[in-house]
Amino acid sequence: MNEDRARDRLEEILDGEEYQAYLSNDQGLFAGWWEKAKEWIRELLGNINPALEPTGSGASGILIILIVLVVVILLLFAFKAFQNGVRRRKFRSNKPLQSLNEMEWSYSRHLEEAEKQESVGNYSKATRHMFLALLLYFHEKEYLEARVWKTNWEYYDELRKVNQKWADRFFRLALFFDEAAYGERDVTEEEYVHYKEEAQGFLESEDL
């Protein structure tokens, strides 16, 4: 009985003049916006070229296409921002030196190991040793202090106090290293060659 009364009461509200007036106003407002948007498109295209000015239905079609394009672009930006956020969080937590043994190697030995891995086509491991060579090179130059417990974010923070441009380049190399070292990216030969050139640009620079 209570359910029947509630249903009847709901029907009365929906059929009531106040609700119908509210609904009409709401729909009228939306229709008004839609017409203004179509008019804007007609004026815009008319200013560009009068021959391009569309009819009402043509303006509606163009407006729908524009809305779809805007939504797609916004979704792409949101996905990219999310992806960059994930990468930055990992950047703040991953530690490039996994053992004391890796730190005991000289940067030249890591370079030799990078060349060895490159020769057998293991570009992910080659990327790892190339990055560690760069890290220990900076350590030897006393631009930063390499430690097993430190993250790349901490190294970046130390390096930017020495030179912001170096730090920005290091940041990009470290992000790629993270993806290669933790199995998220199967590094191709072309990617490794570019990475190697970037890293060697540091090692061979006379400014360092």
Side-chain angles (χ1 to χ4, degrees), residues 52 54 78 80:
L52 296 176
K80 192 66 177 178

Side-chain angles (χ1 to χ4, degrees), residues 68-99:
V68 171
L69 287 175
V70 169
V71 170
V72 170
I73 291 171
L74 290 175
L75 288 175
L76 288 174
F77 273 115
F79 175 75
K80 192 66 177 178
F82 173 77
Q83 193 177 49
N84 288 338
V86 171
R87 293 175 75 189
R88 286 177 180 273
R89 284 194 295 273
K90 290 181 178 179
F91 186 79
R92 290 175 180 271
S93 59
N94 289 336
K95 302 175 180 62
L97 290 166
Q98 299 296 309
S99 67

Side-chain angles (χ1 to χ4, degrees), residues 131-188:
F131 181 77
L132 294 180
L134 179 62
L135 184 64
L136 293 175
Y137 177 75
F138 283 151
H139 174 78
E140 185 175 298
K141 291 287 186 178
E142 298 183 351
Y143 297 141
L144 53 76
E145 189 175 6
R147 291 289 182 268
V148 173
W149 49 266
K150 281 187 176 180
T151 66
N152 277 332
W153 180 260
E154 290 171 295
Y155 293 133
Y156 165 77
D157 192 45
E158 290 179 43
L159 191 57
R160 71 184 180 86
K161 295 174 183 176
V162 178
N163 188 305
Q164 184 64 54
K165 289 184 179 180
W166 298 352
D168 292 339
R169 289 172 61 191
F170 174 84
F171 181 84
R172 292 192 296 271
L173 291 171
L175 284 176
F176 189 87
F177 159 81
D178 277 352
E179 294 178 355
Y182 298 102
E184 298 175 10
R185 191 187 198 108
D186 188 14
V187 181
T188 65

